[in-house]
C-alpha cells in the first residue's frame, strides 16, 4: 500500500507511432524509444538483438501500431524491450513472487495487469533432505560432489512444483509468467542460483554477493518464460538476507516515524530495529525450537498442533486446544511458550527451567535422559507414549527465547535506546499469528512493553516480493533498504553473550526489565 | 567520548557511500563512538560536523608519547573507570630508577640489568618500559653525564627526574633525541620547565602539592602551549595515591580538561614485597607510569603479569582454557569427553559428568569460546581440530584406552575424526543431561 501507481516489472504498452517522413528521418529505435519514454515513463531502454534485427519490418508491417513488452529489474536503471508485437495485444501476463524459506517455500502468482494476486501456494523446501538448517546445507554443498547442483535442483523442483500447481489451477500457460521476484535468506539465494555459499559460514561471514543482478529464468531452470528476468531481493549480509529486506519493505517500517522492531521468530532469528532515519539488523540464531524443531513432539502450527495450554497449580491438570480443534499430534511454538509459562506459574519448574515440583504426580516421569512433563496421556489420542516435554527441551526453549531477547537488547544497547523507545513490534514468520504475546512476555521472550504495540504480519517476505513485482517505487525501496541497514555482528564482542546469559531465566535475571511480570 | 552512535550519526552525510570503509553511515558512527574509527575517515563531513565531532571525540585522557622509535611507549587515551565497561587501552609504563650518585660503571651495570628485565611466557613478551634517571646528586653536570650513559645503553626510553631546570637542560642537551619524559615541573619552576620541554619537544610531568594546585598548574602549562603533559599529584603514600588517581580519572572522564592527562606514580616502600604490592595498586588504578626502585626479576615478573592481565581486552567471549580437566579423580580407564571451550558449554558438561558419578576427563577444544553447534557452523570444531587437541593435550598419556566421546549433535563428525585421530569415536547423547545414563549403558572398561 502507498507505494504509488502500478509499474510492474513486466508490462505491455500499446504505441501508435508517427511514420517517418521527409524532414523526420529519425531512426526506428530512437523513434520507438521516445514514444516508450513518453508513454511508460521509463528511463534508459535496451533492446535485445533479436528485437533490433526485426525492428524495421515489424514496425512497417504493423503500420506503426505495436505493443511493446518492457522488462525492468531490481537494481537496474533501464528497461529491456523484450518483445514487439503488431497491433494492440491484451493477453494476460503474470508475475511470480516467491519466499524461499529454509523450511517452507511460499509462492504468489500475480496478474501484472490488474495487480491482483490470483493464487498462493506453499510447500516444504525439498532441500530439507540435505539438512534441516542453512549451515548443514552449506556444508553439504561444499563437501559433496555435485552437492551444490543437488541443492539447487531441490529448491527449483519445489518452486517449479508450486508454479505447476498454480498454473494448472488457473488454466494459464507457464510461458505467460514473465517476471519473478525471489526473497530468501542469503544462503537460500546462493543455493537457488547455484552460487558457492561456503564462505557465508566462515569468519568473517562473507557472501559471494548481497545484490545479485537479475538472471534469465532459462539459465537456472525456473519453469516460467525462459527469457523472463528472475530478480533476487538484495540482502544485507551473510545472515540478514533478501527475505528480511522484503519483510522490512512490507512492514513499511523503513519509511515510518515510529521506532519499530521487526522480528522474524524463526531458526535464524533475524531482527531489524529502526525507522525512517536508520535501521540496524542482526541474526540471533534462535534455533528451530519455535518451529517445533529439536523438540520430540514439536510441530509447526499445522492442524492438530497444540497451540494453547493451561496447567492448574496444585493438581497439575492440563487443558489444551489444538489448531483446527482436531485431536493433538504434537505441540507448536506458541504452545511451547505457554507450556513454559504455565509450568513456571504452577511451580513445576524454577526460573532456570529445572523441575522442582515438590509433590508426587504421574504427570512428571523419568524418561531416560532426564525427567519430562506429560501434557497428553497415551490413551487420549492414538499416540504411543502421549505428548510430553522434557526438562532438556524446556532448557532448549529457554536458550531460544534468551537468544531472541538478547538480540533485541544488544541492538538497543548498540544504538543506546531503552526498550520503552520501541513504539511498535512487528512479528513475522511461520511462528504463527497464534502467539500469546502476554505469555511470551511472561517467559521473557519479548520485551515488557504495552501489549497493544505488538502486531503480527505473517509472511512479510512474500508480501514484499509481490510488492516489488508491481511497483517501481517498491523496487527502489528494496535497494535503498538493503543499502541502509546496518548489520550488527553479534559475535564481534561480549554484549550478546552477556545478554544471553542474563536472559536464560524466566523471565530474566534482571526482574526490573519485566515490571508487569509477577 | 560522551557521544552515542546515534548522536554522531546525526552529524554524518547519510549517503552510505562506504568511502570510510564501513558498510553504512550508522556503522561508521558506532565505530567512532567506540573509538574504533576517527571522524576524519569520512571524506564527506561538513566543516561544522568535523569541528563538532573533533572536539567531542577528543579522548578524555590525552595520549602522551614517551621515547622515540622502537623505544616509544604511549600512555593515556583512557576512557573508562572499569575495564569491563570497555577496556583499558595503554598499559601502565613501568619505570626502574637509576641514581646519578652511582659511579659511571655502576650506572652502566644497573642499566644492563634493567635491559635484562624482559620475560617471555606462553608466546607473550613481558618487559619494563622506561629507565628513570634520578638527580640525587644535585649536580647538573653529573646528572647530564648519568643521563647520557643511560641513554646510550638503555633499551628503553628515559625519564629525567629533577626539579632543577639547569640539570634538566644539561641532560636534555645530550638526550633530547630520545624524547625523554621530563619530571618535572612544580609551582616554582613550571615556566622554566615548560620552556625547556617546548624547546626540546619532550613531554613534561607536572607535580602539584595537591589536586587543586595540580589542576591549576596543568592549566598554566597548557596555556603556554604544551599538550604532552603527565600529572603527579605529589602523593606518595598508597592510600593517598589511590584516592588521587581515582579522582583524576573521574574528573577527566567528566571532561574536566586540566586533569585530562595520564599520571605518573612513585613507589617508595623500602621493602620490595611492599613496593610491588604498592605498584600493583597503581597499575590497577589508572597510573600511566609507575616508577620503582628494584631490578629484581622476581619483583617485576609478578607486576608485569598483573599489568598484562588487567590490560587484556575483556570484550572476548567467556571461555575456559583449552586443556584436560579432571572430574572426580579419573584414572587410566576413565572416559574422555570432547566439548568446546565456551564456558557455558564446558560447565554444563562438567556438571553432568559429575552427576554421572563416573570419573572422567573433559577436553574442551579451543573454538574461540563458541558453543558446540555454533563452532561447528563456523568451521571451528572440525575433526582435524579435535584430533589436534587429542594429540597436543597430553590426554593420551593419562588414559590407557583410545576411546573418545563426542557430542551427539555432531555425530556426523565421527567417521572423519576416527580416521584423522586414530581414536575410536563414540557418539554421546545430544544433551549433556543424557551423559549419566549414556555412560552407565555404553561405557565398558
Amino acid at each position: 500500500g502507498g507505494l504509488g501507481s502500478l509499474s510492474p516489472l513486466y508490462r505491455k504498452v500499446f504505441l501508435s507511432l508517427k511514420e517517418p517522413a521527409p524532414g523526420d528521418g529519425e531512426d526506428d529505435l530512437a523513434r520507438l524509444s521516445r514514444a516508450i519514454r513518453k508513454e511508460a515513463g521509463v528511463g534508459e531502454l535496451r533492446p535485445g538483438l533479436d528485437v533490433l534485427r526485426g525492428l524495421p519490418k515489424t514496425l512497417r508491417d504493423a503500420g506503426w501500431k505495436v505493443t511493446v513488452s518492457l522488462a525492468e529489474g531490481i537494481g537496474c536503471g533501464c528497461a529491456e524491450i523484450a518483445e514487439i508485437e503488431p497491433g494492440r495485444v491484451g493477453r494476460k501476463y503474470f508475475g511470480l513472487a516467491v519466499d524461499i524459506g529454509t523450511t517452507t517455500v511460499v509462492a504468489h502468482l500475480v496478474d501484472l495487469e490488474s495487480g491482483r494476486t490470483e493464487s498462493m501456494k506453499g510447500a516444504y523446501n525439498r532441500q530439507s533432505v540435505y539438512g534441516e538448517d542453512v549451515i548443514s546445507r552449506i556444508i553439504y554443498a561444499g563437501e559433496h560432489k555435485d552437492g551444490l547442483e543437488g541443492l539447487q535442483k531441490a529448491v527449483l523442483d519445489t518452486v517449479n512444483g508450486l508454479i505447476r500447481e498454480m498454473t494448472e489451477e488457473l488454466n494459464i500457460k507457464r510461458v505467460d509468467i514473465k517476471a519473478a521476484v525471489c526473497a530468501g535468506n542469503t544462503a537460500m539465494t546462493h543455493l537457488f542460483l547455484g552460487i558457492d555459499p561456503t564462505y557465508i559460514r566462515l569468519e568473517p561471514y562473507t557472501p559471494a554477493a548481497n545484490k545479485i543482478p537479475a538472471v534469465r529464468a532459462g539459465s537456472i531452470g525456473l519453469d516460467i518464460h525462459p527469457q523472463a528476468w528472475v530478480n533476487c531481493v538484495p540482502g544485507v549480509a551473510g545472515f540478514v538476507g533478501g527475505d528480511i529486506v522484503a519483510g522490512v519493505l512490507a512492514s513499511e517500517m523503513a519509511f515510518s516515524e515510529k521506532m519499530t522492531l521487526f522480528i522474524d521468530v524463526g531458526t535464524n532469528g533475524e531482527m531489524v530495529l529502526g525507522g525512517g532515519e536508520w535501521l540496524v539488523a542482526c541474526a540471533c540464531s534462535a534455533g528451530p525450537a519455535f518451529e517445533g524443531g529439536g523438540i520430540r513432539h514439536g510441530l509447526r502450527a499445522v492442524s492438530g498442533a497444540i497451540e494453547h495450554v493451561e496447567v492448574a497449580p496444585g493438581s497439575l491438570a492440563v487443558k489444551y486446544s489444538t489448531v483446527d480443534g482436531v485431536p493433538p499430534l504434537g505441540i507448536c511454538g506458541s504452545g511451547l511458550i505457554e507450556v513454559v509459562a504455565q509450568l513456571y506459574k504452577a511451580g513445576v519448574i524454577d526460573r532456570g527451567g529445572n523441575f522442582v515440583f515438590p509433590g508426587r504426580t504421574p504427570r512428571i516421569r523419568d524418561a531416560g535422559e532426564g525427567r519430562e512433563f506429560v501434557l497428553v496421556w497415551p490413551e487420549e489420542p492414538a499416540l504411543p507414549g502421549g505428548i510430553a516435554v522434557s526438562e532438556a527441551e524446556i532448557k532448549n526453549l529457554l536458550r531460544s527465547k534468551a537468544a531472541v531477547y538478547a538480540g533485541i537488547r544488544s541492538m538497543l544497547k548498540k544504538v543506546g535506546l531503552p526498550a520503552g523507545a520501541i513504539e511498535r513490534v512487528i512479528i513475522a514468520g511461520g511462528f504463527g499469528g497464534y502467539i500469546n504475546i502476554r505469555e511470551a512476555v511472561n517467559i521473557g521472550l519479548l520485551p515488557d512493553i504495552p501489549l497493544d504495540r505488538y502486531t503480527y504480519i505473517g509472511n512479510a517476505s512474500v508480501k514484499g516480493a509481490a510488492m516489488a513485482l508491481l511497483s517501481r517505487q517498491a523496487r527502489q525501496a528494496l535497494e535503498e533498504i538493503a543499502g541502509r541497514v546496518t548489520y550488527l555482528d553479534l559475535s564481534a564482542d561480549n554484549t550478546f553473550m552477556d545478554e544471553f546469559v542474563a536472559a536464560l531465566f524466566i523471565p530474566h535475571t534482571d526482574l526490573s526489565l519485566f515490571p508487569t511480570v509477577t | 567520548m560522551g557521544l552515542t552512535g546515534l548522536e554522531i550519526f546525526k552529524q554524518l552525510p547519510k549517503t552510505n557511500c562506504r568511502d570510510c570503509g564501513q558498510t553504512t553511515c550508522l556503522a561508521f558512527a558506532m565505530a567512532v563512538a567506540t573509538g574504533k574509527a576517527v571522524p576524519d575517515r569520512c571524506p564527506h563531513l561538513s566543516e561544522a560536523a568535523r569541528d563538532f565531532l573533533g572536539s567531542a571525540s577528543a579522548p578524555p585522557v590525552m595520549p602522551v608519547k614517551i621515547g622515540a622509535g622502537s623505544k616509544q611507549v604511549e600512555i593515556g587515551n583512557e576512557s573508562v573507570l572499569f575495564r569491563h565497561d570497555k577496556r583499558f587501552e595503554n598499559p601502565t609504563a613501568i619505570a626502574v630508577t637509576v641514581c646519578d650518585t652511582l659511579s659511571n660503571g655502576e650506572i652502566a651495570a644497573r642499566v644492563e640489568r634493567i635491559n635484562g628485565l624482559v620475560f617471555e611466557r606462553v608466546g607473550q613478551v613481558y618487559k619494563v618500559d622506561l629507565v628513570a634517571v634520578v638527580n640525587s646528586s644535585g649536580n647538573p653536570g653529573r646528572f647530564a653525564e648519568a643521563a647520557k650513559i643511560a641513554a646510550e645503553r638503555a633499551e628503553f626510553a628515559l625519564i629525567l627526574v629533577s626539579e632543577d631546570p639547569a640539570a634538566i637542560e644539561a641532560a636534555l642537551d645530550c638526550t633530547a633525541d630520545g624524547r625523554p619524559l621530563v619530571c618535572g615541573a612544580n609551582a616554582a619552576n613550571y615556566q622554566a620547565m615548560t620552556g625547556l620541554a617546548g624547546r626540546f619537544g619532550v613531554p613534561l610531568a607536572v607535580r602539584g602539592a595537591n589536586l587543586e594546585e595540580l589542576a591549576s598548574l596543568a592549566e598554566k602549562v597548557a596555556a603556554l602551549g604544551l599538550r604532552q603533559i603527565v600529572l603527579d599529584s605529589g602523593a606518595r603514600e598508597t592510600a593517598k595515591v589511590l584516592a588521587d588517581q581515582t579522582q583524576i580519572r573521574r574528573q577527566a572522564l567528566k571532561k574536566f580538561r586540566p586533569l585530562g592527562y595520564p599520571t605518573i606514580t612513585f613507589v617508595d616502600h623500602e621493602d620490595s614485597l611492599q613496593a610491588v604490592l604498592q605498584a600493583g595498586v597503581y597499575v590497577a588504578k589508572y597510573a600511566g607510569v609507575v616508577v620503582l626502585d628494584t631490578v629484581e626479576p622476581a619483583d617485576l615478573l609478578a607486576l608485569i603479569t598483573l599489568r598484562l592481565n588487567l590490560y587484556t581486552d575483556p570484550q572476548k567471549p567467556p571461555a575456559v582454557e583449552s586443556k584436560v580437566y579432571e572430574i572426580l579423580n579419573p584414572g587410566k580407564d576413565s572416559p574422555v569427553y570432547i566439548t568446546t571451550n565456551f564456558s557455558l558449554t564446558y560447565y554444563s558438561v562438567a556438571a553432568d559428568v559429575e552427576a554421572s558419578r563416573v570419573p572422567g576427563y573433559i577436553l574442551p577444544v579451543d573454538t574461540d569460546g563458541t558453543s558446540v553447534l555454533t563452532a561447528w557452523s563456523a568451521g571451528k570444531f572440525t575433526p582435524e581440530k579435535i584430533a589436534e587437541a587429542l594429540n597436543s593435550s597430553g590426554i593420551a598419556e593419562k588414559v590407557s584406552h583410545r576411546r573418545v566421546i563426542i557430542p551427539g549433535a555432531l555425530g556426523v563428525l565421527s567417521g572423519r575424526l576416527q580416521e584423522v585421530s586414530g581414536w575410536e569415536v563414540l557418539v554421546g547423547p545430544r544433551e549433556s543431561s543424557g551423559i549419566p545414563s549414556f555412560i552407565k549403558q555404553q561405557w565398558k572398561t
Side-chain angles (χ1 to χ4, degrees):
Chain A
L3 283 161
S5 58
L6 207 58
S7 46
L9 267 175
Y10 182 96
R11 64 183 145 158
K12 290 181 187 288
V13 183
F14 174 71
L15 299 169
S16 181
L17 303 174
K18 232 176 98 197
E19 265 181 69
D24 176 14
E26 193 179 24
D27 68 77
D28 289 350
L29 178 61
R31 184 177 303 270
L32 180 73
S33 299
R34 198 156 36 80
I36 293 172
R37 266 195 291 274
K38 195 171 157 207
E39 184 67 30
V42 293
E44 199 192 324
L45 283 160
R46 211 172 275 177
L49 184 58
D50 282 345
V51 168
L52 205 51
R53 281 177 170 156
L55 186 62
K57 191 162 188 317
T58 308
L59 289 176
R60 286 165 183 83
D61 285 357
W64 301 92
K65 292 187 182 2
V66 290
T67 299
V68 177
S69 297
L70 298 173
E72 296 180 41
I74 296 177
C76 147
C78 64
E80 184 195 39
I81 302 172
E83 196 181 356
I84 304 181
E85 296 161 281
R88 187 187 289 272
V89 178
R91 212 170 56 229
K92 289 227 166 197
Y93 46 96
F94 300 87
L96 182 74
V98 193
D99 166 45
I100 308 173
T102 310
T103 309
T104 314
V105 176
V106 175
H108 285 193
L109 191 65
V110 180
D111 180 329
L112 293 180
E113 242 182 338
S114 66
R116 259 201 322 271
T117 298
E118 302 287 352
S119 179
M120 307 177 188
K121 295 273 184 221
Y124 282 108
N125 189 334
R126 294 187 201 172
Q127 288 179 337
S128 295
V129 294
Y130 299 103
E132 285 200 9
D133 53 85
V134 293
I135 298 295
S136 330
R137 293 184 206 167
I138 292 172
I139 292 174
Y140 185 90
E143 291 187 352
H144 289 79
K145 193 174 170 289
D146 304 330
L148 184 53
E149 287 81 353
L151 281 157
Q152 198 209 358
K153 183 169 184 310
V155 67
L156 265 168
D157 287 349
T158 312
V159 180
N160 286 339
L162 292 173
I163 294 170
R164 211 159 303 137
E165 276 182 53
M166 293 192 294
T167 49
E168 278 167 15
E169 194 178 279
L170 296 170
N171 196 23
I172 61 172
K173 292 200 204 76
R174 292 197 283 279
V175 290
D176 285 335
I177 303 175
K178 306 282 197 182
V181 177
C182 299
N185 62 51
T186 307
M188 285 304 113
T189 305
H190 279 57
L191 293 175
F192 180 65
L193 298 177
I195 299 171
D196 181 2
T198 305
Y199 300 94
I200 294 175
R201 77 172 179 109
L202 300 177
E203 238 168 12
Y205 315 111
T206 39
N210 284 315
K211 293 181 185 178
I212 301 174
V215 300
R216 300 274 187 203
S219 71
I220 53 167
L222 188 68
D223 198 1
I224 59 177
H225 194 292
Q227 292 297 309
W229 291 110
V230 181
N231 296 272
C232 288
V233 177
V236 175
F239 293 105
V240 175
D243 52 344
I244 298 304
V245 171
V248 166
L249 174 77
S251 77
E252 294 178 28
M253 69 182 285
F255 307 99
S256 159
E257 298 277 291
K258 281 194 172 166
M259 178 63 56
T260 307
L261 172 65
F262 175 95
I263 317 179
D264 184 340
V265 191
T267 308
N268 304 323
E270 299 100 334
M271 48 183 87
V272 185
L273 177 72
E277 226 185 313
W278 50 265
L279 295 162
V280 293
C282 66
C284 71
S285 307
F290 295 125
E291 293 173 276
I295 309 278
R296 254 172 326 150
H297 295 117
L299 207 59
R300 292 190 318 115
V302 293
S303 219
I306 296 174
E307 51 167 326
H308 295 300
V309 180
E310 271 179 55
V311 179
S315 73
L316 302 190
V318 176
K319 275 203 275 184
Y320 60 84
S321 65
T322 64
V323 177
D324 298 336
V326 301
L329 293 171
I331 181 161
C332 68
S334 54
L336 279 166
I337 288 170
E338 294 190 14
V339 167
V340 173
Q342 294 283 316
L343 289 183
Y344 174 64
K345 215 175 278 177
V348 174
I349 56 174
D350 65 9
R351 287 188 189 281
N354 304 296
F355 279 41
V356 291
F357 192 68
R360 290 192 144 271
T361 162
R363 289 257 174 210
I364 298 171
R365 65 186 185 193
D366 197 15
E369 291 193 12
R371 283 170 297 178
E372 62 181 19
F373 183 86
V374 180
L375 285 169
V376 180
W377 293 109
E379 50 270 30
E380 291 176 42
L383 282 171
I387 297 173
V389 272
S390 70
E391 197 168 9
E393 288 170 337
I394 286 172
K395 290 193 175 176
N396 196 358
L397 197 85
L398 288 185
R399 283 193 286 271
S400 288
K401 80 94 186 170
V404 172
Y405 190 76
I408 298 169
R409 285 273 293 173
S410 300
M411 284 203 300
L412 287 168
K413 245 186 178 171
K414 297 268 174 178
V415 294
L417 289 175
I422 301 172
E423 291 168 277
R424 53 177 188 160
V425 182
I426 297 174
I427 295 175
F431 184 40
Y434 306 101
I435 178 175
N436 180 331
I437 301 290
R438 180 69 254 171
E439 294 286 45
V441 171
N442 284 346
I443 68 163
L445 167 67
L446 296 171
D448 193 359
I449 57 176
L451 299 185
D452 59 16
R453 295 187 190 176
Y454 285 91
T455 52
Y456 177 69
I457 192 174
N459 189 330
S461 170
V462 74
K463 284 182 194 173
M467 287 164 76
L469 272 178
L470 295 172
S471 153
R472 192 178 298 146
Q473 269 169 284
R475 293 192 287 276
Q476 281 164 356
L478 284 176
E479 281 193 280
E480 204 253 347
I481 292 165
R484 189 150 68 88
V485 173
T486 301
Y487 175 66
L488 301 177
D489 179 1
L490 294 180
S491 64
D493 62 39
N494 262 358
T495 312
F496 178 76
M497 226 8 111
D498 291 346
E499 291 293 342
F500 175 72
V501 173
L504 280 173
F505 292 81
I506 304 171
H508 199 272
T509 41
D510 181 358
L511 293 177
S512 71
L513 293 171
F514 289 85
T516 74
V517 178
T518 49
Chain B
M1 68 178 289
L3 293 180
T4 67
L6 284 185
E7 284 166 327
I8 296 166
F9 175 71
K10 288 195 173 76
Q11 303 291 326
L12 300 180
K14 304 190 184 78
T15 52
N16 298 325
C17 68
R18 302 188 174 203
D19 287 348
C20 60
Q22 299 281 343
T23 53
T24 63
C25 288
L26 184 60
F28 178 65
M30 288 173 171
V32 173
T34 53
K36 288 179 186 139
V38 291
D40 283 347
R41 288 284 296 280
C42 171
H44 312 292
L45 268 190
S46 72
E47 207 51 45
R50 194 181 304 274
D51 289 349
F52 175 80
L53 292 177
S55 63
S57 66
V61 179
M62 174 75 75
V64 171
K65 292 188 170 81
I66 305 170
S70 62
K71 297 178 182 178
Q72 188 171 76
V73 288
E74 185 175 304
I75 55 174
N77 206 15
E78 301 295 334
S79 57
V80 290
L81 275 178
F82 303 102
R83 62 189 287 274
H84 63 254
D85 286 340
K86 189 168 156 195
R87 67 183 157 271
F88 289 163
E89 296 288 341
N90 287 315
T92 306
I94 295 174
V96 178
T97 54
V98 175
C99 284
D100 67 353
T101 48
L102 298 176
S103 72
N104 288 357
E106 285 168 329
I107 290 172
R110 189 169 166 94
V111 167
E112 286 306 329
R113 290 205 62 184
I114 298 170
N115 285 341
L117 294 172
V118 176
F119 316 94
E120 204 178 327
R121 226 179 105 229
V122 281
Q124 295 269 17
V125 175
Y126 304 66
K127 61 179 187 65
V128 299
D129 305 278
L130 298 164
V131 174
V133 184
V134 185
N135 182 14
S136 307
S137 69
N139 177 336
R142 176 66 203 141
F143 182 58
E145 194 179 3
K148 188 160 183 272
I149 297 169
E152 279 162 3
R153 295 187 169 257
E155 285 170 15
F156 307 110
L158 299 190
I159 306 178
L160 301 175
V161 186
S162 174
E163 300 195 339
D164 173 5
I168 290 295
E169 183 170 12
L172 280 177
D173 268 332
C174 50
T175 62
D177 287 351
R179 211 181 132 80
L181 169 66
V182 170
C183 182
N186 58 35
N189 70 10
Y190 78 90
Q191 279 166 315
M193 284 294 194
T194 308
L196 283 171
R199 175 148 68 89
F200 288 97
V202 297
L204 176 66
V206 178
R207 181 172 60 81
N210 51 50
L211 288 182
E212 288 73 23
E213 189 186 282
L214 178 63
S216 94
L217 262 180
E219 222 167 2
K220 286 175 190 163
V221 170
L224 290 170
L226 199 73
R227 305 308 308 269
Q228 292 282 288
I229 297 172
V230 175
L231 304 175
D232 174 3
S233 76
R236 295 293 179 264
E237 185 200 333
T238 315
K240 181 69 179 130
V241 174
L242 175 62
D244 286 352
Q245 288 283 112
T246 306
Q247 197 56 245
I248 290 170
R249 173 66 61 87
R250 269 196 199 148
Q251 294 305 323
L253 296 187
K254 287 183 194 161
K255 299 270 166 145
F256 180 62
R257 286 287 172 207
L259 293 180
Y261 301 97
T263 59
I264 184 166
T265 56
F266 295 84
V267 166
D268 65 351
H269 250 285
E270 305 262 311
D271 177 60
S272 70
L273 179 62
Q274 293 293 327
V276 169
L277 287 171
Q278 209 180 357
V281 171
Y282 303 164
V283 169
K285 287 297 176 185
Y286 321 128
V289 181
V290 58
V291 183
L292 294 104
D293 184 25
T294 173
V295 287
E296 286 306 318
D299 293 342
L300 285 155
L301 181 60
L303 187 64
I304 289 171
T305 308
L306 173 70
R307 176 184 66 175
L308 189 85
N309 289 344
L310 287 171
Y311 281 82
T312 301
D313 188 349
Q315 302 300 321
K316 295 259 171 67
V320 296
E321 198 186 327
S322 176
K323 61 168 193 187
V324 176
Y325 291 81
E326 305 189 345
I327 309 289
L328 306 171
N329 298 316
K332 287 270 178 198
D333 294 335
S334 299
V336 178
Y337 302 90
I338 293 288
T339 188
T340 74
N341 74 332
F342 178 39
S343 330
L344 271 185
T345 303
Y346 170 77
Y347 288 114
S348 303
V349 173
D352 287 315
V353 170
E354 203 167 336
S356 76
R357 304 211 185 121
V358 176
Y361 297 96
I362 302 178
L363 178 55
V365 176
D366 184 357
T367 56
D368 298 336
T370 55
S371 68
V372 168
L373 283 169
T374 309
W376 173 73
S377 301
K380 294 176 179 175
F381 201 39
T382 58
E384 289 72 17
K385 258 189 115 165
I386 299 171
E388 159 65 19
L390 282 168
N391 286 333
S392 62
S393 63
I395 185 68
E397 286 86 65
K398 290 181 189 270
V399 292
S400 53
H401 62 81
R402 287 293 175 270
R403 278 187 291 166
V404 64
I405 301 166
I406 65 167
L410 294 187
V412 59
L413 300 184
S414 61
R416 176 87 186 136
L417 177 57
Q418 197 144 325
E419 204 177 299
V420 295
S421 69
W423 286 55
E424 183 190 338
V425 178
L426 273 65
V427 178
R430 285 188 71 89
E431 299 287 341
S432 66
S433 56
I435 287 175
S437 68
F438 171 84
I439 208 70
K440 273 163 204 134
Q441 290 158 19
Q442 308 280 326
W443 187 261
K444 293 167 191 81
T445 53

